[in-house]
Amino acid sequence: MDFGVVLQTNPPASRTVHLAKLAEQYGFSTAWTFDSHLLWQEPYVIYSQILAETHRIKVGPFVTNPATRDWTVTASIFATLNEMYGNRTICGIGRGDSAVRVTNGKPTTLKELRESIHVIRELANSRPVEYKGSQLQFPWSRGSELEVWVAAYGPMALTLAGEVGDGFILQLADLDIAAWMIQHVRDAAEAVGRDPMSVKFCVAAPMYIGDDREHMRDQCRWFGGMVGNHVADIVAKYGTGSDGSSGAVPQALTDYIKGREGYDYNEHGRAGNTHTSFVPDEIVDRFCVLGTADEHIAKLKALADLGVDQFAGYLQHDNKEETLRVYGETVIPALSEHITAKA
């Protein structure tokens, strides 16, 4: 299992660079960031600095979308960074959430998402592609490599991830839901003739090393609100079953959002978000990875056994450096031993 860290690009940018460098020192393979240009600083500028001050860690958005930038611009950014620093970029992409909703926009259609993945991937891999009736290719790009990982919750988006994604991003660490969604993605890949094991799986959730359960929950409750905001769209589209649950996704993912009354994107992804009081402790515990190093190791081993290739830990809380240290010194080595023993 690889490990990623998910950062917000809050000023000063040097702080984001520092945390990415620290993550590399402790054995993390990827430094992901939010990509919402109004709420936080522009991540691609910061990626250049991270890459300049590190040696092997990859960088990428968690996640970008087809609406904020022209697809050829997005591809050009990745191809340029790869030319400057070697192939050390990765692209997480979804239909769009905070980056589009904060300007009263809407997530893109799945058709647009599918088409954007193809255009971005082909161009950023130094290959030609047809776009808006023209055959395009970067004449200056040679040997660029980019994987595109698809973030999804709903059944149609999960199917798309299996059909076209290099990887699938699931933003919660509940074991039952992860197993259900991974199987859905694998089935979709197999149905179109892909090797279902070729699709990589990333589970992302807040990681907090500590022993004060109440404090950890309060620091990470924002995550249940963020996930609930995504799930609300799914429930609105597919409705609910006779028992009040959605038939399109696991019941555990839908029940708790009944108390959701609103959402302010100015508090998106922030500890202390005042719009997440509806999120119960049980959901925080199930969706996040909290507690001692041994508790983290146990949950991550279970995720690895489900086929998860990367765990990406959100660091939107007050214990960033200590959590990274314990992961580097204890958690990551333990998971490496677990994977080796299984092999």
Side-chain angles (χ1 to χ4, degrees), residues 64-69 71 93-97 99-101 105-117 151 157 160 233 237:
T64 194
N65 66 84
T68 305
R69 305 171 186 85
W71 306 342
I93 193 168
R95 294 174 56 213
D97 183 39
V100 295
R101 294 184 195 269
K106 295 181 179 180
T108 62
T109 66
L110 288 174
K111 180 176 182 292
E112 290 172 310
L113 177 59
R114 182 186 296 269
E115 293 173 350
S116 72
I117 291 168
L160 184 150
D233 282 349
K237 179 174 182 178

